[in-house]
Amino acid sequence: MGSATQSDQTDDPVTVLTFDLEGERYCVRADAVASVLGVADDRSIASADDPWNAGSVSVAGERVRVIDLPRAFTASSQTMTRIDDPKLLVFTATDADDAYYGWLVDDVDATQTVHLDRLEPTQTNTTLTHVKGRLELDGDDVIWLDEQTIHG
């Protein structure tokens, strides 16, 4: 397979899945997400010591390691309001123990097709390696997260 040029990469459309987290909109590549599930009881996840490894759940006989994104992305000094019906994004990637990765998020929106040339650098003072950049979708700023970096 030959290498693509920069213009080839930015002209190719990519489908992203948008979701909400603490009043902000985010997205990830849709092909990286295997499923979206409702979470009936997130108390054990919410009380885990480490939001980046907030326990695991079993889905269809498979283990899913949960990252509690609302807590992971909120400064420990801030008070966070939990929503009543969070969602779990289950990714196609697995960790070294063959557990799937799952992100707890507030709400999941629809998929949208975007062109990578619309991706802009984030407007932040710190370099966040898990952020690919930002897009404008439907008049809203959307932060594109790099799931591979978050999964380590």
Side-chain angles (χ1 to χ4, degrees), residues 10 19 22 35-36 41 43 46 55 58-59 61 64 68-69 78 81-82 97 108 112 121-122 135:
T10 58
F19 60 93
E22 291 287 297
S35 62
V36 177
D41 184 2
R43 286 179 291 194
S58 181
V59 177
V64 178
D68 185 355
L69 280 191
Q78 289 182 311
T81 304
R82 300 296 284 202
D97 297 324
V108 177
Q112 295 193 34
T122 56
L135 300 163

Side-chain angles (χ1 to χ4, degrees), residues 72-118:
F73 283 12
T74 302
S76 60
S77 61
Q78 289 182 311
T79 303
M80 193 186 84
T81 304
R82 300 296 284 202
I83 65 161
D84 291 334
D85 188 25
K87 304 292 185 237
L88 183 67
L89 299 179
V90 179
F91 287 83
T92 58
T94 59
D95 65 13
D97 297 324
D98 289 329
Y100 289 89
Y101 290 98
W103 295 356
L104 190 68
V105 300
D106 292 346
D107 195 21
V108 177
D109 299 321
T111 58
Q112 295 193 34
T113 301
V114 299
H115 288 271
L116 293 178
D117 59 359
R118 293 180 52 196

Side-chain angles (χ1 to χ4, degrees), residues 132-150:
K132 286 188 176 186
R134 68 172 198 79
L135 300 163
E136 184 176 313
L137 297 175
D138 300 330
D140 292 327
D141 279 339
V142 179
I143 299 169
W144 188 330
L145 298 178
D146 182 349
E147 73 284 349
Q148 293 173 341
T149 303
I150 289 176

